[in-house]
Amino acid sequence: MTTRDTTTLGGIARSRIEQMREAEAVAFRTARPKSEARIGNGIEGFLGGVPMHWMKDWPTPFPILVDQARGATITDIDGNRLDDFCLGDTGSMFGHSPPPVTRAIRRQAGRGLTYMLPSDDALAIGPLLQERFGLPFWQIATTATDANRFALRVARAVTARETVLVFNGCYHGSVDETMVRLKAGRAINRPGLAGEFRDLTRATRIVEFNDIPALEAALKDKSVACVITEPVLTNSCMVLPDPRFHDALRRQTRDAGTLLLIDETHTISTGPGGYTRVHGLEPDLFVLGKPIAGGIPASIWGMSDEVASRFAAYERTKEPGYSGMGTTLSANPLQFAAMRAALEEVMTAKNYAHMEHLARRLDAGLTAVIDRNRLPWHVARVGARVEFICAPGPLKNGGEAEGAHAPELEAAIHVALVNRGVLIAPFHNMMLISPATRAAQVNRLVSAFGEVAAKLAA
């Protein structure tokens, strides 16, 4: 029987990690006296001292108090400039305030912000979504969480089935059915859920990503309404699909009469039509949130001809009343204006080519640093989205991804990078390349990562 080494994490001595955390925390505070005075003890009037509790999850001693963000740069109120590779955790994947989106917002602001009716921009968006993502029928929502909820309602309605299937380690916003995980092979509610009194596993099956036999067994009784999945697991230590996985997933769902929902909210980094278009996936339902409107809260969800026809038949027979789909501020004219500008002028093939080029450069640079310092880490990438993972790879499933997560080490690296002028995502070492990102910024990130890695590995 082997014993686990508790003196190291990610191949680094825990004592060294703690030393770095302490030293970098001092440097962070020293560089931000104005911020510390205003936010160091929390913001008055907000629960927990922050407007949204995720803001407490940054590993910095206190959140960065932003003065402005432009392109791929954030400046705090102390004048510190950061090369931004977090980009609002994908919400600003195409840069902060892309000029076409800014112009569209300014134009629409004087014409009304919401009125529960379509505008001229809506007439353009429908065909844009059809052409870009390949499905014929679409709806607009405000968040990907909402869009996923609504799409799952449609799936259950047209299949007359209750159960959904997810993959261990998945992320689909705060959709209740997806808040489950595998522990020692058993499905349980995801730890940490607040106020949850239901057994969410009653109507949700969960298997490991890339496990084709387990997927087949879970679908065999033909009682699953829908499989909801990202094309790549992205939210904690990226897991890429095996070469045969998506073909098997599509074949097995069709054989079982189960619908397939692809959530591209993170993997839209792959190309203008997402991972789905680049790799020829054929979903029945499709969801995309976060960056679709250039930073304005918006999401889209679409469906195939067959699903739309089946749902129309269901609608003709169901009891009249509220469908449980839609919110008052969804599909408002500000969303239409920003989304049209993003689709037509920002999410272009030219911009994606720039993003892909620099992402490959970042991938190679980070990998070279890891190899040079002989660290047991690896880099994963899907299009313009790059992650360094403080464990050997590649990872095969969500269970392995959970085991690879090294929170204390990642937190130390994060603050050290901030102190060297670089911001990455606080939750899972994610870095995004935007159309506004420049080669010099990538070089600075690789250099800063190299300096930090060398200190840890010395």
Side-chain angles (χ1 to χ4, degrees):
M1 179 178 177
T2 59
T3 58
R4 185 178 179 183
D5 182 2
T6 59
T7 65
T8 65
L9 185 63
I12 308 296
R14 288 182 180 272
S15 59
R16 181 167 293 163
I17 295 169
E18 185 57 30
Q19 288 170 3
M20 174 175 279
R21 286 199 70 171
E22 291 175 358
E24 297 297 341
V26 171
F28 180 89
R29 291 179 182 277
T30 302
R32 291 168 176 81
K34 293 179 183 177
S35 298
E36 183 164 21
R38 297 182 63 181
I39 199 174
N41 294 314
I43 307 174
E44 184 179 354
F46 289 115
L47 179 68
V50 289
M52 203 272 275
H53 69 95
W54 288 6
M55 294 178 182
K56 295 174 68 175
D57 292 342
W58 292 84
T60 50
F62 47 84
I64 293 167
L65 193 53
V66 176
D67 177 51
Q68 64 175 344
R70 291 181 180 174
T73 303
I74 278 181
T75 305
D76 68 22
I77 67 166
D78 288 277
N80 298 294
R81 287 170 56 88
L82 298 171
D83 294 323
D84 186 9
F85 292 88
C86 176
L87 296 170
D89 194 17
T90 310
S92 292
M93 193 182 88
F94 301 106
H96 296 289
S97 301
V101 175
T102 301
R103 290 193 295 269
I105 292 169
R106 188 179 298 118
R107 183 178 67 250
Q108 184 59 45
R111 300 162 63 186
L113 299 179
T114 186
Y115 28 73
M116 211 189 294
L117 290 167
S119 67
D120 190 62
D121 288 322
L123 304 183
I125 288 172
L128 281 171
L129 295 176
Q130 290 175 326
E131 187 279 329
R132 178 67 60 93
F133 301 111
L135 291 175
F137 296 105
W138 293 89
Q139 290 279 276
I140 309 296
T142 300
T143 69
T145 293
D146 285 342
N148 279 318
R149 284 186 180 128
F150 304 155
L152 288 176
R153 280 191 176 273
V154 169
R156 284 167 161 156
V158 303
T159 62
R161 299 175 181 178
E162 180 183 7
T163 305
V164 301
L165 186 145
V166 302
F167 293 105
N168 193 33
C170 69
Y171 179 73
H172 303 288
S174 56
V175 177
D176 291 344
E177 294 92 329
T178 68
M179 292 292 177
V180 297
R181 58 165 279 200
L182 284 176
K183 184 175 182 180
R186 186 172 67 88
I188 62 170
N189 282 8
R190 185 172 173 173
L193 293 179
E196 185 55 68
F197 55 89
R198 298 163 296 174
D199 177 7
L200 298 176
T201 68
R202 188 189 65 80
T204 302
R205 294 181 186 173
I206 180 169
V207 300
E208 290 285 10
F209 196 73
N210 283 324
D211 191 337
I212 295 173
L215 175 65
E216 183 175 19
L219 296 176
K220 188 174 182 180
D221 67 2
K222 299 186 177 182
S223 67
V224 175
C226 184
V227 172
I228 174 173
T229 186
E230 305 168 271
V232 175
L233 290 188
T234 62
N235 203 57
S236 179
C237 302
M238 190 186 298
V239 179
L240 299 174
D242 288 341
R244 298 183 301 114
F245 177 69
H246 279 296
D247 285 343
L249 172 61
R250 183 64 284 193
R251 182 180 66 257
Q252 290 178 12
T253 49
R254 282 179 173 147
D255 288 348
T258 296
L259 300 184
L260 176 60
L261 192 168
I262 298 289
D263 180 353
E264 288 261 17
T265 297
H266 286 166
T267 53
I268 190 63
S269 59
T270 313
Y275 195 100
T276 294
R277 205 67 185 266
V278 170
H279 293 276
L281 308 186
E282 298 176 354
D284 302 296
L285 298 154
F286 181 101
V287 163
L288 170 60
K290 289 192 180 180
I292 185 65
I296 292 293
S299 63
I300 56 172
W301 57 287
M303 64 186 74
S304 67
D305 263 317
E306 180 187 355
V307 172
S309 296
R310 292 170 67 182
F311 188 62
Y314 169 83
E315 289 264 80
R316 288 192 293 270
T317 60
K318 84 173 184 69
E319 180 182 5
Y322 178 49
S323 67
M325 300 186 297
T327 60
T328 303
L329 294 180
S330 292
N332 67 63
L334 192 64
Q335 290 175 326
F336 296 147
M339 193 180 299
R340 180 179 182 181
L343 288 166
E344 289 183 339
E345 302 180 67
V346 180
M347 297 171 67
T348 64
K350 180 180 179 181
N351 278 342
Y352 268 100
H354 169 82
M355 294 156 65
E356 177 79 17
H357 170 70
L358 289 186
R360 286 198 300 269
R361 183 171 180 163
L362 177 58
D363 184 346
L366 298 177
T367 298
V369 167
I370 290 168
D371 292 344
R372 184 167 64 248
N373 289 280
R374 299 181 180 180
L375 292 166
W377 304 354
H378 73 286
V379 178
R381 180 173 73 87
V382 56
R385 185 184 183 99
V386 182
E387 292 183 14
F388 65 85
I389 298 164
C390 300
L395 305 173
K396 289 295 185 182
N397 56 51
E400 289 189 9
E402 183 179 0
H405 191 39
E408 297 92 343
L409 174 57
E410 293 159 10
I413 295 170
H414 179 95
V415 182
L417 290 176
V418 168
N419 288 335
R420 288 157 181 78
V422 177
L423 185 70
I424 67 172
F427 309 119
H428 39 81
N429 307 330
M430 185 273 293
M431 296 151 284
L432 283 166
I433 303 295
S434 77
T437 305
R438 296 293 170 254
Q441 292 178 296
V442 171
N443 293 343
R444 286 195 292 267
L445 170 53
V446 172
S447 177
F449 182 74
E451 183 181 338
V452 174
K455 286 187 70 173
L456 286 168

